[in-house]
Amino acid sequence: MALSDLVRLRQVRDLMDREYARPLDVAALARAALMSPGHFSRSFRAAFGETPYSYLMTRRIERAKALLRRGDMTVTEVCMAVGCTSLGSFSTRFTELVGESPSAYRARDHGDGAAIPACVAKLYTRPVRNGEARHTGRP
């Protein structure tokens, strides 16, 4: 892969990290990377080990977990706040990555993680990609 392609892919990944709540589709992301949608998807997966959609949903679920831990928003409000438009799809993907439903996650006590620094909490609470969630006692 050309260095210039990798630079553009990193820029688009950074865009996804910043703008996860915006409607982002492969076509728009490919335009930002100056690539065709097919080439972008293949290149993104080769560079980062997952599809653009999977990466974006992981970012959205990470943010959703943080919002649900706060407890002041409903699951529907969190779904919309992180850029998902379908509560059903959001709940399904959340459950695949986290191992429990958004409602169950929100209802659980998260007080034991309150003293953990944010940089550590981000690693500890990161969703497992590609439906590999297991009940391991992770928050």
Side-chain angles (χ1 to χ4, degrees), residues 75-129:
V75 172
T76 301
E77 290 170 336
V78 169
C79 170
M80 299 303 160
V82 298
C84 296
T85 56
S86 165
L87 182 58
S89 296
F90 168 75
S91 294
T92 298
R93 188 67 174 155
F94 188 98
T95 303
E96 288 173 356
L97 292 174
V98 178
E100 63 185 322
S101 72
S103 298
Y105 185 84
R106 182 180 183 271
R108 192 160 38 85
D109 180 27
H110 297 282
D112 60 337
I116 299 172
C119 59
V120 175
K122 181 177 178 180
L123 293 174
Y124 185 65
T125 62
R126 174 161 283 165
V128 179
R129 293 181 186 89

Side-chain angles (χ1 to χ4, degrees), residues 18-59:
R18 282 189 317 273
E19 304 292 335
Y20 63 87
R22 282 190 28 220
L24 298 171
D25 59 18
V26 171
L29 296 169
R31 280 192 301 277
L34 305 175
M35 298 177 182
S36 72
H39 181 66
F40 170 73
S41 292
R42 286 187 301 278
S43 298
F44 192 95
R45 185 177 190 121
F48 303 118
E50 62 184 319
T51 66
Y53 175 78
S54 178
Y55 183 85
L56 179 61
M57 285 306 296
T58 300
R59 297 291 77 71

